[in-house]
Amino acid sequence: CFGTVLAISSLTVVTRILKLTRIFRTEIGIVTHAASVLGDIGGWLLFAGILSLFRVGPSAALPTWLNGLLAFGFAALMLTVGRWLIDRIMPFVHANATWPAGMTGFVLILLFLGSAFSHWIGVHALFGALLVGVAVGGSPWLAQRNRRTLERITSSLFAPCFFAWTALSVDWVKHFDLVLVLTVFAFAFLVKVGAGVLGGLWGGFPLRQGLLLGFGINARGSITILLCWVAFQYGLIPPPLYIALVLCAVVGAFIYK
């Protein structure tokens, strides 16, 4: 679970960096984005499999293998067919619904449906909302003004409540371990950047572009905090490791700002 949390990048941060540096459509930019997407798909599927072992909700009576299959299938469908289907529905919503309530309401309905289904199959409801967010966030039909509206709702209502909840769920003074925090920082940095450099060199890129690839896939953000919180709620990581991972995500997000 520790490795899975570290493996998943923040696609939003990666995309923004590539666009701001104007290398999004270059060869190394395309490779960096594709590596982040493929790495996240693998991480999400693995995380879904791990959570399916801790059965909750209405499907708790189902066999363990069926819970795992449902979680794995839901993640795979949302990141592939679900993403494609949303891209086909959004133009209709965009053309016939009023702005901004129509598109915003459509996205929120998808989030609640994804959360409900995720809880029904025995995985944390937040996992379904995250998958829907990944699928919707990559759609070109989600106009910039709709994104700003959703960001305002999230940043002014949901985000403060969630981060306050995560902060209050553990005693930071009691469980803070400086050695563990520094170890996690070093491990998270070296593994991601090192893998990017080695992959770049293996693909024929020079060292400079390999470093760019490594730093690109190393981008972290709020998605890491969400995954840490879910893993902590399931008892998969102890409080000291939870604090170390959250601080790693926060510092990583500020570095890439």
Side-chain angles (χ1 to χ4, degrees):
C1 183
F2 170 68
T4 304
V5 171
L6 291 181
I8 297 177
S9 307
S10 176
L11 283 177
T12 305
V13 177
V14 174
T15 304
R16 184 170 66 246
I17 292 171
L18 294 176
K19 288 183 177 180
L20 289 176
T21 54
R22 299 181 181 179
I23 59 173
F24 186 76
R25 299 192 181 277
T26 63
E27 185 179 10
I28 188 62
I30 294 173
V31 171
T32 302
H33 191 264
S36 300
V37 172
L38 291 176
D40 280 15
I41 291 175
W44 280 113
L45 295 178
L46 182 59
F47 197 70
I50 294 173
L51 293 184
S52 68
L53 300 176
F54 300 83
R55 296 178 291 173
V56 296
S59 67
L62 296 177
T64 304
W65 67 268
L66 185 56
N67 276 96
L69 183 62
L70 287 172
F72 186 89
F74 177 54
L77 285 174
M78 282 307 304
L79 296 173
T80 53
V81 178
R83 198 167 189 169
W84 175 85
L85 185 60
I86 289 172
D87 280 341
R88 296 300 180 275
I89 297 175
M90 274 193 167
F92 176 80
V93 177
H94 185 75
N96 295 279
T98 57
W99 181 88
M103 184 62 74
T104 303
F106 173 70
V107 173
L108 291 175
I109 289 172
L110 287 180
L111 287 173
F112 286 122
L113 288 176
S115 300
F117 184 76
S118 180
H119 176 71
W120 183 83
I121 63 176
V123 185
H124 200 286
L126 186 59
F127 181 73
L130 289 172
L131 286 176
V132 172
V134 172
V136 172
S139 175
W141 289 100
L142 189 62
Q144 191 63 34
R145 55 185 181 179
N146 295 118
R147 294 179 188 272
R148 286 196 295 267
T149 302
L150 290 170
E151 287 175 359
R152 287 167 184 166
I153 295 174
T154 303
S155 60
S156 61
L157 178 61
F158 295 120
C161 295
F162 174 76
F163 288 118
W165 190 8
T166 58
L168 295 173
S169 61
V170 63
D171 189 336
W172 287 68
V173 176
K174 179 181 178 180
H175 297 290
F176 180 80
D177 187 339
L178 180 60
V179 175
L180 180 61
V181 170
L182 295 177
T183 302
V184 169
F185 272 47
F187 182 79
F189 177 83
L190 292 175
V191 169
K192 264 301 187 68
V193 176
V197 172
L198 292 176
L201 294 176
W202 187 28
F205 290 103
L207 179 60
R208 182 178 180 182
Q209 291 187 334
L211 287 169
L212 190 151
L213 173 60
F215 278 96
I217 64 175
N218 188 50
R220 308 180 193 280
S222 57
I223 190 70
T224 305
I225 300 176
L226 294 172
L227 292 173
C228 290
W229 184 80
V230 173
F232 178 68
Q233 291 296 306
Y234 276 86
L236 298 175
I237 54 176
L241 183 57
Y242 170 73
I243 292 174
L245 287 170
V246 169
L247 290 177
C248 180
V250 171
V251 173
F254 274 110
I255 290 175
Y256 282 87
K257 288 292 185 179

